[in-house]
Amino acid sequence: MGAMTIIGTGSYAPGVPIPNAALARVMDTNDAWIRQRTGIEQRHFARDGETVSELGAHAARRALRSAGITAAEVDYIVFGTMTPEYAFPGPGGLLGAKLGIEGVPALDLRQQCASAPFGLQVANGLLASDAARTVLFVCAEAHAGFMPWRDWDVVRGESTREVAEEDYARATRHRGVAILFGDGASAMVLRHTTRDGAGFLGAECHSDGARADLMYMPGGGFTRLPFFSLDVIEFELCYPQMRGPELFKSAVTELAGVVRSLCARHHVALDEIDCVVAHQANDRINSAVRKALGLPPEKVPSNIARYGNTSSATVGILLDELRADGRVKEGDLICVVALGAGLHWGAALLRL
Ligand code: UT7
């Protein structure tokens, strides 16, 4: 039967890039701080009404084209996002309808920034159990909706008007999150290969709800009666809460640990890995992980400067770029690794 392999990738980012300096117009931050602490220089933001199933459809069409197949050949959709267009239903089925493949099963993942290793593990299970022959794995995010400002005209440079003092103060209270995230989508087409030695070696995934408070969205969940009220806005529960430095430490420890553990389980020496395709949350996290694993910089590529943290989509966008410019190629052993709110984290090994 062979092992699962990636036969196509695609990615998409909405609109024009928004540089760090644009964020400094609506809150107390600056380009130098953002670059030094994160490596981010710009990000993209979805427009009002631009949803993850729409962003995902752009990436999916590109991935299908790169795989040389049509949507009609997809028999399972797996969709990862933490910013779905509705509390329910999830975006997977909506994506299927946009691609004209209504009726194809769609599974929505809730693993946030850790969607890539979880999604690959699930897709491998679907293929191995013969539930599917061609899995379309899409990740997309529209974080723009939880940005803590209303002054989109100022952020986008369409107006130079003054921002109200209370709006500036609110955005500044949430600046730690606001500077990190950007919008985008990625897609992978997954199938079994008959090529000798190629394909998925395995994945290791973990979850720890005891650390859910390191990053979560307090409002909009079905905790309160009624589940949504003006309190959600008044008490600023519609913005994620993040304990940044603690999350940073968890990320460095768990990401390095899961790569080591997965490699040991599959008898792969760390220096056999050609490329670590790591979640792009912060360049400083990835450089600490890289040092802990003793890997050279060229084996842990980064594109966070151009996209910020696109949560579930970072790994797929980066992989798409690496395939397109030849930094990864057939025969390379790649290790996907990611950690996200939940906490959820994991790694996957795959020979392209
Ligand atoms: O995808 C998974 C989810 N996210 C992550 O993995 C993120 C993990 N955490 C991080 O990447 C980092 O913790 C941050 C980038 C969020 C923050 O960097 P940090 O080096 O941990 O900074 P900090 O929160 O300890 O803040 C340092 C200083 C503070 O000022 P004082 O108290 O030292 O005077 C902050 O108020 O930097 C200040 N600060 C800012 N200044 C300008 C915090 N955010 C900003 C900002 N602009 N945006």
Side-chain angles (χ1 to χ4, degrees):
M1 188 166 62
M4 178 180 78
T5 193
I6 300 169
I7 64 161
T9 55
S11 59
Y12 179 79
V16 294
I18 308 287
N20 292 341
L23 307 190
R25 296 180 200 133
V26 293
M27 61 187 181
D28 181 12
T29 189
N30 59 77
D31 179 51
W33 191 96
I34 301 171
R35 277 174 200 255
Q36 281 161 17
R37 299 291 177 122
T38 68
I40 298 167
E41 295 173 14
Q42 60 176 46
R43 75 286 291 137
H44 294 250
F45 284 124
R47 292 256 172 197
D48 193 20
E50 205 170 14
T51 64
V52 289
S53 65
E54 198 176 323
L55 301 178
H58 287 297
R61 288 190 192 99
R62 290 177 179 177
L64 292 167
R65 209 175 307 134
S66 105
I69 67 165
T70 65
E73 292 178 64
V74 171
D75 55 10
Y76 223 108
I77 293 169
V78 178
F79 200 124
T81 188
M82 64 178 213
T83 51
E85 45 254 78
Y86 307 117
F88 65 86
L94 302 172
L95 172 78
K98 286 193 167 75
L99 296 177
I101 49 170
E102 300 86 343
V104 167
L107 182 66
D108 293 297
L109 298 183
R110 303 279 322 254
Q111 267 56 42
Q112 290 65 254
C113 304
S115 291
F118 276 83
L120 289 171
Q121 190 177 49
V122 167
N124 182 59
L126 292 169
L127 293 169
S129 65
D130 221 15
R133 282 164 185 265
T134 306
V135 176
L136 176 62
F137 174 34
V138 173
C139 291
E141 302 291 351
H143 304 106
F146 69 52
M147 287 300 139
W149 55 76
R150 289 159 202 168
D151 314 282
W152 282 102
D153 54 339
V154 177
V155 168
R156 292 188 187 281
E158 294 155 5
S159 166
T160 54
R161 67 177 174 75
E162 285 283 297
V163 170
E165 214 171 292
E166 71 175 278
D167 289 338
Y168 191 89
R170 183 197 331 101
T172 300
R173 282 195 290 281
H174 298 280
R175 63 185 175 176
V177 165
I179 53 111
L180 286 179
F181 292 95
D183 297 340
S186 69
M188 299 179 200
V189 183
L190 301 155
R191 257 188 192 170
H192 274 144
T193 177
T194 48
R195 275 189 294 122
D196 251 6
F200 187 77
L201 274 73
E204 181 177 322
C205 294
H206 297 273
S207 301
D208 176 11
R211 281 181 279 172
D213 62 337
L214 295 192
M215 181 160 187
Y216 75 111
M217 176 63 90
F222 291 82
T223 310
R224 292 173 190 79
L225 301 178
F227 90 103
F228 219 99
S229 67
L230 289 176
D231 286 358
V232 172
I233 295 162
E234 189 184 338
F235 297 112
E236 300 180 3
L237 307 176
C238 49
Y239 308 113
Q241 279 183 14
M242 180 176 76
R243 289 162 53 189
E246 283 148 282
L247 187 54
F248 189 107
K249 281 180 208 139
S250 278
V252 174
T253 308
E254 305 301 1
L255 292 171
V258 76
V259 171
R260 276 186 195 287
S261 164
L262 178 66
C263 285
R265 193 188 290 194
H266 292 277
H267 310 291
V268 168
L270 288 171
D271 62 7
E272 286 177 62
I273 299 172
D274 294 299
C275 186
V276 174
V277 188
H279 172 49
Q280 306 287 298
N282 186 326
D283 256 349
R284 285 164 50 229
I285 293 177
N286 289 357
S287 93
V289 171
R290 179 179 71 66
K291 284 176 191 148
L293 296 174
L295 296 170
E298 61 276 13
K299 284 196 174 182
V300 189
S302 164
N303 65 0
I304 195 170
R306 284 177 288 121
Y307 298 102
N309 178 353
T310 56
S311 295
S312 62
T314 65
V315 165
I317 294 175
L318 180 57
L319 183 60
D320 185 44
E321 292 190 346
L322 296 171
R323 283 177 91 240
D325 65 20
R327 275 183 288 168
V328 298
K329 53 190 184 314
E330 209 171 283
D332 281 357
L333 181 63
I334 66 164
C335 180
V336 160
V337 62
L339 173 139
L343 292 182
H344 301 287
W345 68 98
L349 278 169
L350 200 138
R351 191 170 295 281
L352 294 176

